[in-house]
Amino acid sequence: AFIRTVFAHEAEARLRLAGQSLSEACAGALERVREIGGEGGCVALSRDAGVLAFNSQGMYRAWVDPQMGRWGLAIFGEDELDGGPLEELLSAQ
């Protein structure tokens, strides 16, 4: 579904040509994926923003926030499955 809807191109065109925000562009491109029965998500980054968008029940993701000194894991919505101090993650290696 992502290939059939040329998802990345659609999101980029919405940014460049329609002047949408990164969040709006990803949501609009995901709507096209949903229209043909697809589900999934994307992680998109720009110079000024980051977006996590998905139209599936869940999407595994992880992050590190060096400024806050924390890391986290999640799958559904914004619920954090696990996380903790960054030192804890670095000492596990």
Side-chain angles (χ1 to χ4, degrees):
F2 280 80
I3 292 171
R4 287 179 52 209
T5 61
V6 290
F7 176 85
H9 179 272
E10 176 71 16
E12 188 275 335
R14 287 170 175 269
L15 282 167
R16 187 170 42 91
L17 302 174
Q20 292 182 343
S21 70
L22 184 60
S23 180
E24 292 169 329
C26 290
L30 271 176
E31 178 58 24
R32 299 227 13 220
V33 169
R34 188 199 61 74
E35 288 171 359
I36 66 166
E39 62 177 45
C42 74
V43 175
L45 302 172
S46 74
R47 186 175 331 137
D48 304 317
V51 170
L52 169 69
F54 56 96
N55 67 359
S56 55
Q57 186 178 23
M59 182 171 158
Y60 285 102
R61 58 207 183 271
W63 63 90
V64 172
D65 186 339
Q67 291 180 335
M68 297 296 291
R70 295 195 48 82
W71 66 276
L73 300 171
I75 183 172
F76 302 110
E78 297 301 319
D79 297 334
E80 193 172 301
L81 289 176
D82 199 359
L86 192 53
E87 299 82 36
E88 177 184 287
L89 182 65
L90 295 173
S91 66
Q93 294 181 8

